[in-house]
Amino acid sequence: MITLGAVYRPQLPPENLRSVVLAAEESGVDSLWLWEDCFLESGIACASAALAWTSRLKVGVGLLPVPLRNVALTAMEAATLDRLFPGRVMIGVGHGVQDWMGQVGARVSSPLTLLREYTGALKALLAGERVTVEGRYVKLTGVALDWPPPAPMPVYVGGHGAKTLALAGEVGDGTILDASADVDHVRAISATREHPVIVYVETDSRDRAFVTDLVTSVAAAGATSVILQQSATSEDPEGFVRFVGSLDGVSAWRRG
């Protein structure tokens, strides 16, 4: 079953989020995804509000930039959200835009090493383990969550570079591809892993036939979730998510 979601871009004001979230909930959109782009909006803060305003909608945060956040803090926040809103939270991590990481003094010399260490520690913490690790970047001594998720939470890993995506296939519970990925790239990545592949697809179109064909092609290439996003300059995000919700009954991409 291929799921269809939408993005609320952080270029939009936080105070506009509620109406878009409610439109997604009411229109049947499977998931709404939020980004923690510097220096726009907190992914976790927006996710907690979106989850509190709804009862059905799944909310994803993809991606959280790992150099910006201590892994224990991310584990605490993810676990808290999962216990408050069981089964509706999806967390994705990545190494962040390096220029932004440099601006805040968090840039590391080996982003891949950090992402590997961080993902392993995050998964262990969310599985309820007591973690001691002395990595190059991630250092924990006897850390365990007092309130871990009842079941281990999947941790998605995203990016667009070949090395990052290879690492995502190795250590992630799912892979997130940004909108730069074409159908051939989606197909190539999907063929190398058995876990879920979430693909962002940018379009401002409200033409049902065009968007249905677009989603169908990405799904046929191996995506398990297709997440539609508007361009940064587009308006009417509420109308866009309602349009995405109206496509939920279209079965063309669900048969594959």
Side-chain angles (χ1 to χ4, degrees):
M1 180 72 73
I2 305 301
T3 60
L4 190 62
V7 171
Y8 183 83
R9 296 187 69 121
Q11 289 85 359
L12 298 165
E15 59 267 27
N16 291 359
L17 176 63
R18 188 173 190 272
S19 65
V20 177
V21 167
L22 294 180
E25 171 89 348
E26 294 164 3
S27 62
V29 172
D30 179 75
S31 61
L32 187 73
W33 285 78
L34 307 163
W35 302 343
E36 191 164 84
D37 282 0
C38 298
F39 299 97
L40 296 167
E41 293 164 14
S42 160
I44 295 295
C46 287
S48 62
L51 290 159
W53 291 327
T54 57
S55 60
R56 175 201 59 80
L57 184 70
K58 294 179 182 178
V59 176
V61 185
L63 300 168
L64 293 170
V66 301
L68 197 61
R69 331 174 110 259
N70 184 279
V71 68
L73 176 62
T74 298
M76 289 165 59
E77 291 179 325
T80 299
L81 288 177
D82 184 72
R83 292 183 72 109
L84 287 170
F85 310 101
R88 294 206 288 137
V89 184
M90 296 168 287
I91 297 294
V93 297
H95 52 56
V97 175
Q98 295 307 293
D99 287 346
W100 292 342
M101 298 303 101
Q103 282 182 270
V104 298
R107 187 167 184 167
V108 298
S109 58
S110 180
L112 286 173
T113 300
L114 170 58
L115 186 57
R116 177 185 294 277
E117 293 178 356
Y118 194 104
T119 303
L122 180 59
K123 290 172 65 174
L125 290 168
L126 293 175
E129 299 176 18
R130 183 169 299 278
V131 181
T132 295
V133 60
E134 184 68 24
R136 181 174 175 183
Y137 300 111
V138 176
K139 303 178 189 297
L140 300 172
T141 304
V143 177
L145 298 177
D146 285 337
W147 297 105
M153 287 181 69
V155 175
Y156 299 87
V157 178
H160 59 265
K163 292 181 179 179
T164 304
L165 290 173
L167 181 63
E170 180 184 346
V171 303
D173 297 311
T175 296
I176 299 176
L177 298 178
D178 67 19
S180 67
D182 59 22
V183 170
D184 289 339
H185 191 45
V186 174
R187 184 177 295 109
I189 292 298
S190 299
T192 64
R193 59 210 66 196
E194 298 180 357
H195 65 214
V197 176
I198 298 168
V199 182
Y200 292 126
V201 176
E202 184 169 287
T203 180
D204 291 325
S205 175
R206 305 288 178 91
D207 182 312
R208 288 175 64 87
F210 171 79
V211 177
T212 297
D213 286 346
L214 181 63
V215 173
T216 300
S217 66
V218 177
T224 53
S225 295
V226 178
I227 312 300
L228 297 175
Q229 67 180 66
Q230 292 181 291
S231 65
T233 57
S234 289
E235 300 178 353
D236 190 23
E238 182 178 334
F240 183 74
V241 298
R242 289 191 183 279
F243 169 73
V244 175
S246 76
L247 299 174
D248 190 56
V250 179
S251 60
W253 58 80
R254 297 174 179 268
R255 291 195 294 267

